[in-house]
Amino acid sequence: MKRRLLRSLILIVIATIVAPLFVSLVSPQAYADAGFRKWKRDFAAYSQRKGIRKSTFNKAFRGIDKPDPEVLELARYQPEFRQKLWMYFDSRVNETSVERGQQEKKKWARWLNLIERQYGVSPNIILAIWSMESTYGEAMKRPRSLRSIVRSLSTLAYADRRRRKFARSQLISALKILQSGQIGVDQLRGSWAGAMGHTQFIPSSYLAFGQDIDKDGKKDIWNSIPDAMATAANLLKRNGWRPGRTWGYEVRVPKSVRSQAGKTRNLNSWAKLGIKRVAGRKFPPSNDRAVLMFPAGKSGPAFLMLRNFFVLKRYNNSNKYALAVGHLADQIGGAGELIHAIPRPYPKLPLAQRKELQRLLRAMGLYDKDIDGNIGSGTRAAIRRAQIQMGLNPTGFESPGFLARLRKRS
Ligand code: CA
């Protein structure tokens, strides 16, 4: 008995101290992979305590033996926090996203109306979320942007100190989805952060809010657009969405009241202080609580944000995100641009000129994506390369001056 104990102690010492030393002599990569495999064994045991069957675990983790370095790279960059408001808006709230939203509204009218009756969320808001989350499903057609959810979350759980706990619990939820038989493992794909389907739900939110509105027996946010839309509406409803109310109003603020940014009062009392809606529009008389906000700083547009603005932040906890959804929804519904434009370092180019710019960059061999006038990270990277070639400061900005120089060069 004692001898057996001693033997297993020696084995443990070899396994925990000597073996990793040996592995570290092989190569840092192999060492990292060995660390991952150890994490995987520990996680297997943990998942079984959480009710995951061994067969589910094995199915999910088949072929996953090392972390995904790209996931860690992507985890370092989040546009909601890095980009200025004007830049964030340019690539998300534009002619293309508004027009496509209006087309999709006709196409899905029957479902959108049913969703509004069941959940109290208007079609425009659902369409704006769909646009923001997956560009109306376009992102689902680019296999490169779809990763194994199990591998992405395992990578974060293993190697991202800040997201470790989050990723572990999401991974358990992902395994529960698989175990429920709603979808197969090859379908369990999505963003680096574990968001899945047309309306980008993380596994725990899918489990909490998933809907099967087309009644085929599956809550299928990957393949059923009605299910994905209903799931988004359900998240908003369950977080306190107020049916029939808007998200906020663009307002004009008297100088004396500007210092009250961030304060909450009801609409009537803001109106008494002299705050007015822009362009002569009127507030409905209301005791609804509203927060005064300047999302782009005091030189930018001002808003009174209502409860629904903060419900939108339950989808993605960012003021930029909630404002973009709200404003895009209004424009899909036929409203115009903001009256007080978001401050930007140069005037915005009209759509035709943004397309011209992309064509000129393509002719220089610097840009190979769509000529859609949508200035996103791909176009900005091409602009930066062109600016370096031309000996300019590489800002990545599509300013009128830069376009003029490109024209001269061609
Ligand atoms: Ca379904």
Side-chain angles (χ1 to χ4, degrees):
M1 193 71 185
K2 263 192 178 164
R3 190 176 289 172
R4 245 167 82 187
L5 187 68
L6 188 68
R7 202 189 301 155
S8 42
L9 270 176
I10 290 171
L11 279 176
I12 288 170
V13 167
I14 290 174
T16 57
I17 300 172
V18 183
L21 280 177
F22 173 73
V23 167
S24 74
L25 288 176
V26 179
S27 82
Q29 189 55 48
Y31 180 64
D33 295 352
F36 183 78
R37 284 195 295 272
K38 176 176 186 312
W39 172 86
K40 188 173 146 181
R41 283 194 300 276
D42 294 345
F43 187 74
Y46 174 74
S47 72
Q48 277 158 41
R49 292 199 296 278
K50 293 281 175 183
I52 302 300
R53 288 192 294 271
K54 217 174 161 182
S55 58
T56 308
F57 183 91
N58 289 340
K59 208 192 301 170
F61 275 87
R62 187 167 303 141
I64 297 177
D65 288 312
K66 50 183 161 201
D68 180 349
E70 273 178 31
V71 165
L72 295 173
E73 187 101 349
L74 289 163
R76 268 180 238 126
Y77 180 82
Q78 277 193 289
E80 275 78 4
F81 300 105
R82 292 285 187 84
Q83 288 183 353
K84 297 243 184 241
L85 191 61
W86 65 270
M87 229 185 235
Y88 185 83
F89 263 57
D90 274 6
S91 58
R92 292 168 178 79
V93 186
N94 52 46
E95 298 88 340
T96 318
S97 60
V98 171
E99 204 175 290
R100 174 87 186 260
Q102 289 167 343
Q103 289 162 4
E104 299 290 345
K105 190 173 177 176
K106 284 185 200 134
K107 192 166 159 194
W108 299 99
R110 184 183 139 231
W111 290 107
L112 286 163
N113 293 335
L114 177 65
I115 287 167
E116 183 165 29
R117 285 198 300 279
Q118 273 190 26
Y119 305 92
V121 183
S122 80
N124 297 337
I125 289 285
I126 299 297
L127 290 160
I129 288 176
W130 187 23
S131 175
M132 293 289 288
E133 297 297 340
S134 68
T135 321
Y136 303 102
E138 289 301 317
M140 311 278 298
K141 296 176 195 160
R142 289 196 301 265
R144 227 160 48 109
S145 64
L146 296 178
R147 304 162 178 280
S148 152
I149 290 290
V150 174
R151 187 167 182 215
S152 296
L153 290 172
S154 298
T155 299
L156 296 174
Y158 168 62
D160 187 323
R161 205 173 284 264
R162 277 196 308 140
R163 295 183 178 84
R164 187 174 293 167
K165 259 179 87 177
F166 162 84
R168 239 163 97 97
S169 82
Q170 291 305 321
L171 203 44
I172 293 292
S173 296
L175 295 174
K176 283 184 182 162
I177 296 169
L178 196 61
Q179 194 155 280
S180 75
Q182 290 281 318
I183 54 152
V185 66
D186 48 335
Q187 286 255 53
L188 208 55
R189 299 179 74 76
S191 81
W192 66 266
M196 309 176 293
H198 280 270
T199 40
Q200 295 288 283
F201 272 71
I202 54 173
S204 64
S205 299
Y206 169 86
L207 288 174
F209 304 113
Q211 297 290 292
D212 173 25
I213 200 169
D214 64 12
K215 299 214 162 44
D216 71 342
K218 287 186 174 165
K219 300 169 180 176
D220 188 352
I221 58 173
W222 298 267
N223 303 298
S224 162
I225 290 164
D227 280 7
M229 289 172 165
T231 300
N234 189 36
L235 181 151
L236 298 179
K237 181 187 177 186
R238 298 258 302 275
N239 278 294
W241 184 264
R242 293 201 171 147
R245 305 285 230 290
T246 185
W247 54 274
Y249 298 107
E250 189 188 351
V251 292
R252 246 208 309 269
V253 186
K255 266 212 177 89
S256 58
V257 187
R258 295 175 78 81
S259 61
Q260 299 202 27
K263 291 226 165 80
T264 308
R265 300 171 179 279
N266 65 44
L267 278 179
N268 290 334
S269 84
W270 282 122
K272 265 184 217 144
L273 287 173
I275 290 189
K276 289 187 167 62
R277 283 186 70 189
V278 291
R281 298 165 197 151
K282 295 269 182 289
F283 293 121
S286 162
N287 284 320
D288 284 357
R289 314 275 288 163
V291 181
L292 178 62
M293 288 178 71
F294 295 84
K298 289 274 171 78
S299 64
F303 298 88
L304 284 178
M305 297 304 193
L306 303 171
R307 162 125 177 189
N308 284 348
F309 177 83
F310 298 95
V311 177
L312 287 171
K313 289 181 69 175
R314 298 300 293 267
Y315 216 107
N316 184 339
N317 189 19
S318 145
N319 287 336
K320 285 187 190 116
Y321 175 84
L323 181 62
V325 169
H327 185 42
L328 177 56
D330 287 356
Q331 289 198 61
I332 291 171
E337 304 256 347
L338 295 174
I339 297 295
H340 186 145
I342 295 166
R344 54 190 306 134
Y346 55 86
K348 188 171 182 174
L349 295 178
L351 180 61
Q353 291 182 20
R354 299 200 304 269
K355 287 184 178 174
E356 181 190 353
L357 178 102
Q358 287 174 328
R359 272 192 293 271
L360 289 168
L361 290 167
R362 181 180 277 183
M364 289 172 76
L366 297 173
Y367 180 75
D368 60 1
K369 302 214 173 72
D370 295 343
I371 306 291
D372 55 5
N374 186 357
I375 308 294
S377 55
T379 312
R380 290 199 191 289
I383 293 172
R384 249 177 252 119
R385 285 193 289 272
Q387 286 169 327
I388 290 168
Q389 273 189 22
M390 293 157 73
L392 303 169
N393 184 17
T395 58
F397 295 165
E398 74 289 14
S399 66
F402 175 65
L403 176 60
R405 279 175 179 248
L406 269 191
R407 277 177 183 150
K408 245 187 232 163
R409 210 175 165 279
S410 68

